[in-house]
Amino acid sequence: MLRMPRPIEALVHVDALAHNLARARAAAGDARVWAVVKANAYGHGIERAFAGLRAADGFALLDLEEARRLRALDWRGPILLLEGVFEPRDLELCSRLGLWHVVHCSEQIDWLAAHKTQSPHRVFLKMNSGMNRLGFTPAAFRSAWARLTALPQVDEVSLMTHFSDADGPRGVAHQLAAFEAATQDLPGERSLSNSAALLRHSASLEGQASARARGTAVRNDWVRAGILTYGSAPDFPEHDIAHWGLQPTMTLRSRLIATQQLQPGDTVGYGSRYTAERAQRIGIVACGYADGYPRHCGTGTPVLVDGQRTATVGRVSMDMLAVDLSALPQVGIGSDVTLWGQSQAAGGAVLAIDEVAQAAGTIGYELMCAVAARVPMAVAPESAPKAALKAA
Ligand SMILES: *Cc1c(COP(=O)(O)O)cnc(C)c1O
């Protein structure tokens, strides 16, 4: 086996991915579940994520190269391009690989109308119900639908929208109302929920029998589960992963490579941003912002050393950061450090990526997507089915 250049690595927990997908399925009632694997499966790697998410009903992403990689894994089921095609020639790949694609603007309909294919495409017509990113306005939606359904290049038209506030106080009702008003009498399957809507708004949205019985259900045939499958709570800190029954799917771990004994008044790191008030031992961890650990994390960001919770001190530098060892006299050079995820130490303590993200003023999504290329990433041994280990 190749020696690691530095004692830092990222581990992907395949069994946790499968667990979280099952949580999504339970919340989705009888709706089908897209596993969203855009951005290289939120930084986990398509091939590694696939090993844990293959029980999904389909995979949603936006990079055509990633779609090709999924087909190369022998995935024959649905793949949805969430932004549709970027230029007309992309449609050839859709025909060849049997990709379903979003249609969000009239140019994409023009391109389809000019596309030569033997196999009509399944498309998801997207409404801009208030997010103002992609999609037809409610007023323009019906004519787009009529144009699409008339095309010989189109097989089935499904309807879709995306929520801007499913994780927060504004909620989804205003967008749902706009969507419903413009689509009520249109046929076709619906895809509405992201993770936050799936976890927080199921009563009004999903294919839940209880909601149907109350007459409050808006038809929702396909949910789009992204962040929740990767063990991050979409509405942290209101709720954490323990609340939602989710498990971390990525661990960023390293080791202590030095310790220092501070005297009162000693400072730590660039800019002397931390000053010891008393005698204090600190540890130096082989992990910095060039590994994808956020530099915005100030003193006090949680970290696990030897499975025990402590906190960073001073500024994060490019290749190193410092942690408080006051309460951990037993640790030293070589001790295991968990920056986020599941500790390898006995007991397997968990540090949710959301806590670290919060300390950096961002969200778990950004951290997991930003692990640097120089950090070796592998399927965690304890969770690796034999075949998945080989693929990774
Ligand atoms: C990324 C994305 C999702 C998944 O969102 P999560 O918050 O990660 O669940 C769903 N739908 C669309 C259109 C997306 O781009």
Side-chain angles (χ1 to χ4, degrees):
M1 202 169 134
L2 219 70
R3 249 191 75 77
M4 271 193 293
R6 293 163 66 228
I8 184 169
E9 63 178 341
L11 298 174
V12 171
H13 305 283
V14 168
D15 48 358
L17 286 162
H19 168 90
N20 296 341
L21 180 69
R23 291 282 305 126
R25 200 177 274 297
D30 51 24
R32 277 160 289 166
V33 180
W34 291 111
V36 180
V37 293
K38 65 191 179 189
N40 200 22
Y42 290 47
H44 291 64
I46 295 273
E47 290 77 10
R48 285 180 289 268
F50 181 70
L53 299 174
R54 57 198 320 155
D57 298 300
F59 290 88
L61 42 70
L62 41 83
D63 183 316
L64 284 97
E65 188 47 42
E66 292 180 351
R68 220 196 292 264
R69 282 163 63 191
L70 264 179
R71 287 290 184 236
L73 291 167
D74 225 17
W75 172 254
R76 309 269 174 87
I79 297 178
L80 176 64
L81 297 177
L82 287 167
E83 296 179 353
V85 296
F86 301 99
E87 52 182 326
R89 65 173 186 162
D90 294 344
L91 290 167
E92 288 158 28
L93 196 70
C94 290
S95 295
R96 188 141 44 86
L97 298 183
L99 308 180
W100 303 1
H101 50 102
V102 164
V103 171
H104 66 76
C105 63
S106 52
E107 287 79 358
Q108 289 178 331
I109 304 182
D110 299 339
W111 301 341
L112 255 175
H115 178 54
K116 293 192 179 33
T117 180
Q118 306 299 324
S119 44
H121 294 190
R122 168 109 181 231
V123 298
F124 279 63
L125 181 62
K126 185 160 188 181
M127 181 187 293
N128 168 16
S129 59
M131 176 90 170
N132 284 305
R133 205 171 57 175
L134 298 182
F136 293 88
T137 61
F141 195 77
R142 302 183 70 89
S143 63
W145 182 86
R147 250 194 99 192
L148 265 183
T149 46
L151 291 181
Q153 291 88 346
V154 170
D155 167 25
E156 200 178 324
V157 181
S158 302
L159 316 180
M160 167 176 165
T161 198
H162 191 54
F163 298 123
S164 58
D165 290 79
D167 58 332
R170 194 173 180 203
V172 301
H174 62 295
Q175 287 184 263
L176 260 189
F179 182 82
E180 272 296 276
T183 61
Q184 228 158 20
D185 55 334
L186 295 181
E189 295 193 327
R190 270 73 166 157
S191 178
L192 304 175
S193 305
N194 58 1
S195 294
L198 177 59
L199 292 175
R200 293 168 63 93
H201 301 286
S202 280
S204 54
L205 265 169
E206 307 314 331
Q208 301 278 12
S210 58
R212 271 200 302 276
R214 285 197 307 275
T216 55
V218 171
R219 184 171 166 194
N220 193 16
D221 304 285
W222 289 89
V223 301
R224 306 188 299 272
I227 195 69
L228 85 86
T229 55
Y230 301 103
S232 167
D235 57 354
F236 187 85
E238 186 182 343
H239 299 115
D240 61 13
I241 53 172
H243 173 87
W244 293 122
L246 303 171
Q247 299 173 356
T249 59
M250 180 195 284
T251 293
L252 181 63
R253 62 180 292 235
S254 186
R255 293 185 187 281
L256 294 183
I257 58 170
T259 61
Q260 300 292 340
Q261 183 62 49
L262 307 181
Q263 301 307 318
D266 283 352
T267 64
V268 176
Y270 288 118
S272 300
R273 295 293 274 259
Y274 178 79
T275 305
E277 284 169 4
R278 52 194 158 71
Q280 179 184 6
R281 197 165 76 110
I282 62 167
I284 306 301
V285 183
C287 176
Y289 61 77
D291 298 303
Y293 190 92
R295 185 173 172 279
H296 290 295
C297 283
T299 293
T301 303
V303 56
L304 305 176
V305 179
D306 206 14
Q308 301 184 69
R309 215 174 154 96
T310 179
T312 64
V313 292
R315 263 196 189 141
V316 174
S317 47
M318 182 184 284
D319 311 303
M320 288 176 272
L321 56 81
V323 295
D324 178 26
L325 300 181
S326 310
L328 303 172
Q330 79 286 6
V331 306
I333 290 181
S335 288
D336 189 71
V337 177
T338 305
L339 286 317
W340 61 69
Q342 308 180 14
S343 166
Q344 309 300 298
V350 162
L351 174 56
I353 196 170
D354 298 325
E355 284 191 66
V356 182
Q358 185 185 38
T362 186
I363 52 180
Y365 298 72
E366 188 178 0
L367 266 51
M368 60 179 76
C369 289
V371 173
R374 78 174 187 181
V375 176
M377 191 178 288
V379 168
E382 88 285 354
S383 73
K386 303 281 173 288
L389 254 183
K390 218 170 104 244

